[in-house]
Amino acid sequence: MTKDFNYSNLKLGIIGGGQLGKIMAVKAKKMGFHVTILDPTLDCPAAQVSDKQIVGGFFDKDKLEQIVKDSDVTTFELEHVDTSVLKKLYDEDNNIHPSPYLIELIQDKFKQKEFLDKKGIPVPKYKNVQTPADLESFGLPIIQKARKGGYDGKGVALLKDKDDLQNALPGETFIEELVDIKKELAVMVSRNIEGQIACYPVVEMLFDDRVNICDIVIAPAKVDSKIEEAARKMSIDSIEALDGVGIFGVELFLTNNDELLVNEIAPRPHNSGHYTVEACATSQFEQIIRAVTNLPLGSTKLITPAAMVNLLGEEGFTGEPVIEGIHETLEIDGLSFHFYSKKETKPFRKMGHITVLDDTVDGALEKVEKAKEILKIKGSKKV
Amino acid sequence: MTKDFNYSNLKLGIIGGGQLGKIMAVKAKKMGFHVTILDPTLDCPAAQVSDKQIVGGFFDKDKLEQIVKDSDVTTFELEHVDTSVLKKLYDEDNNIHPSPYLIELIQDKFKQKEFLDKKGIPVPKYKNVQTPADLESFGLPIIQKARKGGYDGKGVALLKDKDDLQNALPGETFIEELVDIKKELAVMVSRNIEGQIACYPVVEMLFDDRVNICDIVIAPAKVDSKIEEAARKMSIDSIEALDGVGIFGVELFLTNNDELLVNEIAPRPHNSGHYTVEACATSQFEQIIRAVTNLPLGSTKLITPAAMVNLLGEEGFTGEPVIEGIHETLEIDGLSFHFYSKKETKPFRKMGHITVLDDTVDGALEKVEKAKEILKIKGSKKV
């Protein structure tokens, strides 16, 4: 069932008003749409570039109903939302993408994994934890993950040995084999209402080991073409299996045996796709807007190699953000600076990002590493 | 005299809230700045993506003073403003760029031409009109131009013969020889507070003959490298002569004898630079923000050939805009669609634009010409 919109006055709702919502809103405004943001923080990053904000939480059923009813179509910048009311609204009017049923499935990382596994998508060996003994089913060391609510390295524990078992995560969790990782890869995949699929290049994620947050992304990944093709196919297969509409960040492990496994899927724009704003013909943020508003998808062509670094709040600081090194950083050739206008910095909070375009991916990587050294987000208060 | 700003909370004022102000605001928000727009139309395109709008006209001295006093730095998306109050404020605090003195000079196209001429920049032969007889000083046919207030082909008359003299423009005007034009070219030049210059590629402008509005721009221009170099040098020389801070659109004539002449200069982002959003490492809209906030300029590198077409309101329609052909248009590979969210369409009003990226400039041109055929901005009312 496809809809025809009045594109000169299309009303788009975005649940979530952080940096992903901000750039989504900008791309929707580029196409002339009216944008409403639902977010609990007044004047959140996305609201600053949107027509309207509904101030409310992601588990506030009334506010969720309000944004959906006020909008021709509603989408997400995050998956941690109450799906019960959204499912009812979706059944009535089919104007929420991705579907809240899909969001619900993805919220539970165990169910997500089980779903992909049953569809024949390779995933790491996993098992639900029902009793403490389950933690040791595959032996130790093991990765334990919260089934719900984790992000940016939160809700993940490495249990190295028996002593670590006392630090096991509480609540509903599952375990996953400790994969022998050569590289972490990611692929953005978009699928529109009519089922058209567009797949972005394979990129490589480098992590800040201190906090397990993806820190640097390079595009394209330095992998051979066979692996690239396999990663793209596996990512497309995953989104087709999920019948997803919108944009999806598919995170993959490349093992030391050159085996590919799907780690997890984000049903929204993803940090690993920020580079698309400057480096691709159509950004991930415009692509989701096209996908959910019944428009043809844009070209995912990589126009130039690129690298992206997240700007995380420095350890030791909080309060109003203070940017250090901006002049020297902006002297770097081919650099684009994004700052999210969050009112408060915290250690390791994502405050902005930088993308550098270069003729080679190594050149781009070198430049973002330099930028990472120079630019610091400190704060008005010391912690 | 350079200033140091608190870049995590820099307050930028933009005088004018149309499409140029809209994309400027988006790029300022990308860098985390607080943006205030001065424009008489409530909820104008730029206000929709900004933090604040001051509703007021460009000759309202109080409102002009308010935006300057509220902002760390103020800039322009248009040059038709009252400069008297701005000059006073500039003398006090030096926080308006480009300088209102420069804006005032550029407002008067005769003075602008005289200034460039005296600085040794080649311009078409020109003469101020003080008596009706002056119209015929160079013989006929001749181009007559209003000294102030013209834009998009308004304020320009072609006087072909004696009969046309009765249609001469009233008010303060000047005449210009009818140049034998092979191509109309344009170059965006940016210069920051410290005098750093960045020059974009030379592009070629194609005009809609019905209304003399620049219709299609191709980047790079199809000219040989000698002409390209000369056009860039002439454009840089012009902006250095003007001591300009900001971004400037330098329009040039290439004559049939391969002579280059400066036609006129816009002291702000320019229609001929829209392509930079998708095709260059740094867009003209980000560049002006960098230039006026005392930041280093970004790379002006053309990453890929591109073509841009303006989407003008169709003849015969007014009222709320209605977009026709959006699905078919967005199927064109490498196409980016901009719609400005103006509440009302009018014949030939600039309602949006399309940029297409392609491996060749001819390919890009072919695609924008196709898009121009398909996509129509009609209106809710017939005129």
Side-chain angles (χ1 to χ4, degrees):
Chain A
M1 184 175 88
T2 59
K3 300 203 173 200
D4 214 12
F5 295 110
N6 171 9
Y7 288 98
S8 74
N9 193 25
L10 188 148
K11 286 173 186 290
L12 178 78
I14 301 175
I15 297 173
Q19 62 268 23
L20 303 176
K22 178 181 177 181
I23 314 180
M24 284 164 76
V26 160
K27 296 305 176 186
K29 293 303 301 173
K30 178 180 85 86
M31 295 198 274
F33 301 158
H34 180 281
V35 179
T36 302
I37 301 294
L38 173 65
D39 195 276
T41 305
L42 184 67
D43 202 32
C44 60
Q48 296 174 32
V49 291
S50 295
D51 296 280
K52 187 179 164 185
Q53 177 175 7
I54 297 171
V55 180
F58 309 128
F59 292 85
D60 181 330
K61 290 184 170 59
D62 291 341
K63 296 294 169 69
L64 286 166
E65 182 165 352
Q66 189 189 339
I67 192 169
V68 173
K69 296 250 171 179
D70 280 0
S71 306
D72 293 317
V73 62
T74 298
T75 188
F76 307 87
E77 71 135 27
L78 43 69
E79 57 274 23
H80 298 305
V81 300
D82 179 290
T83 51
S84 61
V85 61
L86 294 176
K87 285 190 292 184
K88 262 184 242 162
L89 293 162
Y90 178 79
D91 290 342
E92 285 166 22
D93 211 20
N94 191 23
N95 60 350
I96 304 168
H97 302 291
S99 121
Y101 292 95
L102 172 54
I103 296 289
E104 189 175 67
L105 173 70
I106 280 184
Q107 281 175 347
D108 186 331
K109 289 186 185 175
F110 173 73
K111 282 194 184 162
Q112 183 192 138
K113 202 136 267 172
E114 199 177 42
F115 178 91
L116 294 170
D117 188 20
K118 284 183 179 162
K119 293 287 185 177
I121 310 287
V123 295
K125 207 169 134 188
Y126 65 100
K127 187 180 176 15
N128 198 19
V129 173
Q130 286 169 312
T131 71
D134 286 333
L135 287 170
E136 295 179 79
S137 324
F138 302 157
L140 297 175
I142 199 81
I143 298 287
Q144 185 198 14
K145 291 186 176 178
R147 287 178 57 160
K148 293 185 182 178
Y151 71 98
D152 282 350
K154 284 169 190 133
V156 178
L158 168 62
L159 307 177
K160 288 191 291 287
D161 50 35
K162 290 221 177 250
D163 284 352
D164 272 356
L165 290 177
Q166 62 194 8
N167 302 323
L169 301 172
E172 291 189 307
T173 65
F174 66 103
I175 53 164
E176 222 177 75
E177 62 172 327
L178 191 57
V179 176
D180 207 11
I181 299 172
K182 189 196 281 181
K183 288 175 189 282
E184 297 207 25
L185 306 176
V187 181
M188 300 305 305
V189 177
S190 185
R191 187 163 169 277
N192 73 5
I193 292 179
E194 295 194 335
Q196 184 195 359
I197 287 250
C199 180
Y200 283 86
V202 181
V203 302
E204 201 171 324
M205 298 191 288
L206 312 174
F207 283 75
D208 185 323
D209 288 335
R210 295 171 300 171
V211 281
N212 197 30
I213 295 183
C214 164
D215 188 23
I216 289 179
V217 170
I218 59 173
K222 296 196 271 181
V223 294
D224 71 35
S225 61
K226 265 191 189 170
I227 288 170
E228 195 193 331
E229 262 322 290
R232 286 164 58 102
K233 184 178 182 308
M234 196 178 287
S235 301
I236 291 170
D237 288 349
S238 300
I239 303 317
E240 285 194 327
L242 288 164
D243 199 22
V245 172
I247 197 151
F248 299 85
V250 183
E251 297 183 23
L252 302 130
F253 295 137
L254 177 66
T255 71
N256 284 323
N257 302 326
D258 281 348
E259 197 189 359
L260 284 165
L261 301 169
V262 170
N263 174 23
E264 60 181 66
I265 295 175
R268 51 165 172 78
H270 190 254
N271 199 171
S272 70
H274 284 354
Y275 77 96
T276 60
V277 172
E278 286 86 5
C280 290
T282 312
S283 74
Q284 63 166 346
F285 301 100
E286 171 161 344
Q287 201 70 290
I288 179 177
I289 306 300
R290 288 182 179 225
V292 303
T293 58
N294 194 27
L295 287 171
L297 298 178
S299 162
T300 57
K301 187 178 169 187
L302 185 71
I303 308 285
T304 165
M308 187 278 318
V309 62
N310 284 321
L311 300 173
L312 307 177
E314 287 290 306
E315 273 190 285
F317 293 93
T318 181
E320 198 187 317
V322 176
I323 306 172
E324 276 188 18
I326 189 169
H327 288 92
E328 205 185 332
T329 302
L330 266 62
E331 276 170 10
I332 295 172
D333 192 58
L335 181 144
S336 177
F337 172 65
H338 293 250
F339 196 66
Y340 306 144
S341 302
K342 294 177 182 177
K343 308 290 182 209
E344 196 182 24
T345 185
K346 288 175 198 166
F348 304 109
R349 188 175 194 196
K350 287 177 179 166
M351 299 301 292
H353 74 268
I354 276 172
T355 300
V356 175
L357 308 181
D358 196 82
D359 293 337
T360 67
V361 71
D362 284 328
L365 176 58
E366 201 175 296
K367 287 176 180 171
V368 298
E369 280 173 340
K370 184 176 165 196
K372 183 184 167 184
E373 283 307 305
I374 301 168
L375 198 130
K376 302 290 173 197
I377 311 295
K378 297 187 175 171
S380 57
K381 296 177 215 162
K382 296 216 169 191
V383 195
Chain B
M1 183 176 92
T2 60
K3 300 203 174 201
D4 214 14
F5 296 110
N6 171 9
Y7 289 98
S8 74
N9 193 25
L10 188 147
K11 286 174 185 291
L12 178 77
I14 301 175
I15 298 174
Q19 61 269 22
L20 302 175
K22 178 181 177 180
I23 313 181
M24 285 163 75
V26 159
K27 297 304 176 186
K29 293 303 300 172
K30 177 180 87 86
M31 294 197 275
F33 301 158
H34 181 281
V35 179
T36 302
I37 301 294
L38 173 65
D39 195 276
T41 305
L42 184 68
D43 201 33
C44 60
Q48 296 173 33
V49 292
S50 294
D51 295 280
K52 185 178 164 187
Q53 178 176 6
I54 298 171
V55 180
F58 311 126
F59 293 85
D60 181 329
K61 290 184 170 59
D62 292 341
K63 297 293 168 69
L64 285 166
E65 183 165 352
Q66 188 189 338
I67 191 167
V68 173
K69 296 251 172 178
D70 281 1
S71 306
D72 293 316
V73 62
T74 298
T75 187
F76 307 88
E77 70 134 27
L78 41 70
E79 58 273 23
H80 299 306
V81 299
D82 179 290
T83 50
S84 61
V85 63
L86 295 176
K87 285 190 291 184
K88 263 184 243 162
L89 293 161
Y90 178 79
D91 290 341
E92 285 166 24
D93 211 22
N94 192 22
N95 60 351
I96 304 167
H97 302 290
S99 119
Y101 293 95
L102 172 53
I103 296 289
E104 189 176 68
L105 173 69
I106 280 185
Q107 281 175 348
D108 185 330
K109 289 186 186 176
F110 173 73
K111 284 194 183 160
Q112 183 191 139
K113 201 136 270 172
E114 200 178 41
F115 178 89
L116 295 170
D117 188 19
K118 285 182 181 163
K119 293 288 184 176
I121 311 286
V123 295
K125 206 169 135 189
Y126 65 101
K127 185 181 180 357
N128 198 19
V129 174
Q130 285 168 310
T131 70
D134 286 332
L135 287 170
E136 295 178 80
S137 322
F138 301 158
L140 298 176
I142 200 81
I143 298 286
Q144 185 198 12
K145 291 185 174 178
R147 285 178 58 160
K148 293 187 183 178
Y151 71 98
D152 282 351
K154 284 168 190 134
V156 178
L158 168 62
L159 308 175
K160 287 191 291 289
D161 50 34
K162 292 222 175 250
D163 285 353
D164 273 356
L165 290 177
Q166 61 191 7
N167 303 322
L169 299 171
E172 291 190 306
T173 66
F174 65 104
I175 54 166
E176 222 177 75
E177 63 173 325
L178 191 57
V179 177
D180 207 12
I181 298 173
K182 189 197 278 183
K183 288 174 189 283
E184 297 207 25
L185 307 177
V187 181
M188 300 305 306
V189 177
S190 186
R191 187 164 169 276
N192 73 5
I193 292 179
E194 296 195 334
Q196 184 195 1
I197 288 249
C199 180
Y200 284 87
V202 181
V203 303
E204 200 171 324
M205 299 190 287
L206 312 173
F207 284 75
D208 185 324
D209 289 334
R210 292 172 302 172
V211 280
N212 196 30
I213 295 183
C214 163
D215 187 23
I216 289 179
V217 170
I218 59 173
K222 296 196 270 181
V223 293
D224 70 37
S225 61
K226 265 191 190 171
I227 288 171
E228 194 192 332
E229 262 323 291
R232 286 164 58 103
K233 182 174 184 310
M234 197 177 286
S235 301
I236 290 170
D237 288 349
S238 300
I239 303 316
E240 287 194 328
L242 288 163
D243 199 23
V245 172
I247 196 151
F248 299 85
V250 183
E251 298 182 24
L252 301 130
F253 295 135
L254 177 65
T255 71
N256 283 323
N257 302 325
D258 281 348
E259 195 188 0
L260 284 164
L261 302 168
V262 171
N263 173 25
E264 61 182 66
I265 295 176
R268 49 164 172 80
H270 191 254
N271 199 170
S272 70
H274 284 355
Y275 78 95
T276 60
V277 173
E278 286 85 5
C280 290
T282 311
S283 73
Q284 64 167 346
F285 300 100
E286 171 161 344
Q287 201 71 289
I288 180 177
I289 306 301
R290 288 181 177 225
V292 303
T293 59
N294 194 26
L295 288 170
L297 299 179
S299 162
T300 57
K301 186 179 170 188
L302 185 71
I303 309 284
T304 164
M308 187 278 318
V309 62
N310 284 321
L311 301 173
L312 307 177
E314 287 290 305
E315 273 190 284
F317 293 93
T318 181
E320 197 187 317
V322 176
I323 306 173
E324 275 187 18
I326 190 170
H327 287 90
E328 204 185 331
T329 303
L330 267 63
E331 277 170 9
I332 295 171
D333 192 58
L335 181 144
S336 177
F337 172 66
H338 292 250
F339 196 66
Y340 306 144
S341 303
K342 295 178 182 177
K343 309 289 182 208
E344 195 181 28
T345 183
K346 288 175 199 166
F348 305 109
R349 187 175 194 194
K350 287 178 179 166
M351 299 301 292
H353 73 268
I354 277 172
T355 300
V356 176
L357 308 181
D358 196 82
D359 294 336
T360 67
V361 70
D362 285 327
L365 176 57
E366 202 176 295
K367 286 176 180 170
V368 297
E369 281 175 339
K370 186 178 164 194
K372 184 186 166 183
E373 282 305 306
I374 300 168
L375 198 130
K376 301 291 173 197
I377 312 294
K378 296 186 175 173
S380 57
K381 296 178 216 162
K382 295 218 171 189
V383 196

